[in-house]
Amino acid sequence: MEFTMRENGFQTQFEYGSLDVSGDAHYGFRPYQLMVSSVAVCSGGVLRKVLSKMRLDVEDIKIKADVVRNKEEADRIESIHMHFILKGNGLSPEKIEKALRVTEKNCSMVQSVKGSIRISDSFEMIA
């Protein structure tokens, strides 16, 4: 990836378009938003694959990410809690819990921040 400085941040180009990144939300995505998004969406994508391999009928997955930042240490991300809302048929709490543990071990973004950002999760099932 290559980033080019702009007046209020940086920009990079991808196959699907440009990405603007800035410390000011008026000019682009903030770096912490991208970090949290990476962890949450990577987890969601891996979870989706794991549930599919388990032959569980999941129609939809929503993810709510709660972030705790430390103002005393450059506003660093201390923890990310992901709450997965799963819609499907025949889901069981035991299978979802197992799938989440497999997801945690196989999500590259979670593994990348392991030891520096606390990652936790919870879930609920809706019909």
Side-chain angles (χ1 to χ4, degrees):
M1 283 188 263
E2 183 175 298
F3 297 87
T4 303
M5 187 172 77
R6 299 286 185 225
E7 184 177 340
N8 293 296
F10 288 83
Q11 185 179 75
T12 189
Q13 299 295 321
F14 292 105
E15 297 82 18
Y16 56 86
S18 64
L19 174 67
D20 292 297
V21 182
S22 175
D24 184 333
H26 290 95
Y27 300 103
F29 293 100
R30 296 184 61 205
Y32 95 90
Q33 292 170 323
L34 296 172
M35 173 71 79
V36 173
S37 297
S38 294
V39 170
V41 173
C42 177
S43 295
V46 173
L47 178 61
R48 181 181 193 174
K49 287 180 187 174
V50 171
L51 293 170
S52 176
K53 287 183 179 183
M54 293 173 77
R55 299 184 190 277
L56 294 174
D57 181 21
V58 177
E59 295 173 28
D60 192 27
I61 301 173
K62 292 196 185 322
I63 308 165
K64 294 182 181 178
D66 291 319
V67 182
V68 174
R69 299 178 72 186
N70 186 337
K71 300 270 185 212
E72 305 298 317
E73 292 184 27
D75 223 7
R76 74 183 295 277
I77 299 171
E78 293 282 330
S79 66
I80 301 170
H81 177 79
M82 294 173 289
H83 182 71
F84 295 91
I85 302 165
L86 305 156
K87 180 179 182 182
N89 300 308
L91 303 178
S92 76
E94 296 80 18
K95 288 182 179 180
I96 300 301
E97 187 63 42
K98 181 178 179 180
L100 284 171
R101 298 300 61 89
V102 172
T103 295
E104 182 180 342
K105 291 178 183 173
N106 289 284
C107 172
S108 61
M109 295 297 98
V110 169
Q111 291 302 310
S112 294
V113 301
K114 189 176 175 179
S116 61
I117 298 175
R118 287 185 309 278
I119 305 293
S120 59
D121 58 54
S122 59
F123 67 93
E124 65 184 273
M125 301 174 299
I126 58 176

